[in-house]
Amino acid sequence: MSNDDKTLESKDLESKHLENKHRERMAARKAVMDAKIAQAVEERGVLILLKGNGKGKSSSAFGTMLRSVGHGKRCAVIQFIKGRTETGEYKFFKDHPQVDWHVMGHGFTWETQDREQDIEAAKKAWALAEELLKDPTYDMLVFDEMSYMFKYGYLDVEPVVVALEHRPLAQNVIITGRTMALPLQEVADTISVVQDERHAFRLGVKAQPGIEY
């Protein structure tokens, strides 16, 4: 056998060894995942909190809602701060038969500069949210930027927690906002943090449709 043949044979053996090791690792990982999946037997809706100072919290919520719509689910959105109707997501979903979209806010606090108006808007938005949390025909509710209502003191968090805990068993709820009140985090099923490492706005890039709104 020539040296070249020996080299090829050695590489082939090494390749087979690596392939076998990979299969062993994947088989072990699959066994672990299968065991975890087998333990998850409870069927109910979940409360998801999307927080952090990075871009993408609302986008993640609406993406999850889109997935739900794809499965024929009925959904509703309440926007607690955004007062605009020219956003891409609003334009896409506003006439969708499975989605009820409610723009309840008047804009960010530095735009409105009217605390009493903002508090009144928050109360109206919560009154609607409370009704939706009692309605079992809604499979998913998205309360966009609701967390700021507690941060600014516009709403009390305790009645919201009570309503969340007594909502229909199969109903899923997503709440977005940079910070989350601790009582919400204590009853949440899933909490994801969106970090901010860099943002185009700080580089001087103008907000654009399809990206920021």
Side-chain angles (χ1 to χ4, degrees):
M1 181 181 294
S2 67
N3 288 335
D4 288 344
D5 289 338
K6 290 180 180 179
T7 299
L8 288 173
E9 183 179 21
S10 177
K11 288 183 176 179
D12 185 52
L13 289 173
E14 182 180 1
S15 177
K16 289 181 179 179
H17 174 71
L18 291 174
E19 179 64 25
N20 288 335
K21 295 296 290 183
H22 175 76
R23 287 179 179 175
E24 290 174 2
R25 288 197 302 271
M26 293 303 103
R29 184 176 299 177
K30 183 177 185 304
V32 171
M33 292 305 301
D34 286 348
K36 290 181 178 180
I37 292 172
Q39 291 175 355
V41 295
E42 188 176 2
E43 295 185 11
R44 62 173 175 82
V46 295
L47 172 60
I48 301 173
L49 305 182
L50 301 175
K51 67 175 188 172
N53 61 355
K55 169 180 168 53
K57 298 178 290 294
S58 296
S59 302
S60 175
F62 299 144
T64 304
M65 186 182 75
L66 178 61
R67 178 178 291 164
S68 188
V69 169
H71 286 284
K73 306 294 186 179
R74 187 185 183 198
C75 307
V77 175
I78 296 179
Q79 294 190 286
F80 280 77
I81 287 185
K82 291 187 179 76
R84 301 179 301 177
T85 57
E86 74 271 19
T87 62
E89 55 267 26
Y90 173 80
K91 290 181 176 181
F92 184 83
F93 285 114
K94 66 183 180 68
D95 295 321
H96 198 289
Q98 294 167 229
V99 179
D100 294 337
W101 196 291
H102 306 276
V103 180
M104 304 294 288
H106 296 289
F108 292 99
T109 53
W110 62 84
E111 294 173 336
T112 64
Q113 300 183 24
D114 188 333
R115 178 177 170 82
E116 292 306 316
Q117 175 184 268
D118 292 340
I119 291 175
E120 185 62 26
K123 289 180 177 179
K124 288 181 179 179
W126 168 239
L128 174 59
E130 193 171 21
E131 290 303 311
L132 296 180
L133 285 167
K134 298 175 184 177
D135 191 338
T137 67
Y138 285 96
D139 301 289
M140 175 174 287
L141 305 177
V142 176
F143 297 154
D144 189 34
E145 296 179 327
M146 184 189 204
S147 72
Y148 296 103
M149 303 302 100
F150 314 120
K151 177 182 179 181
Y152 299 150
Y154 295 173
L155 295 175
D156 293 329
V157 69
E158 294 302 337
V160 176
V161 170
V162 170
L164 287 167
E165 291 186 312
H166 290 85
R167 73 186 191 275
L169 182 63
Q171 192 178 75
N172 296 286
V173 179
I174 303 178
I175 299 175
T176 71
R178 287 196 171 197
T179 61
M180 288 289 168
L182 288 177
L184 283 179
Q185 297 189 63
E186 290 171 355
V187 298
D189 297 289
T190 299
I191 302 175
S192 293
V193 181
V194 181
Q195 300 286 7
D196 177 14
E197 294 190 4
R198 182 179 301 168
H199 198 294
F201 179 74
R202 294 197 297 275
L203 300 178
V205 180
K206 184 178 179 180
Q208 56 184 300
I211 299 297
E212 275 75 36
Y213 63 92

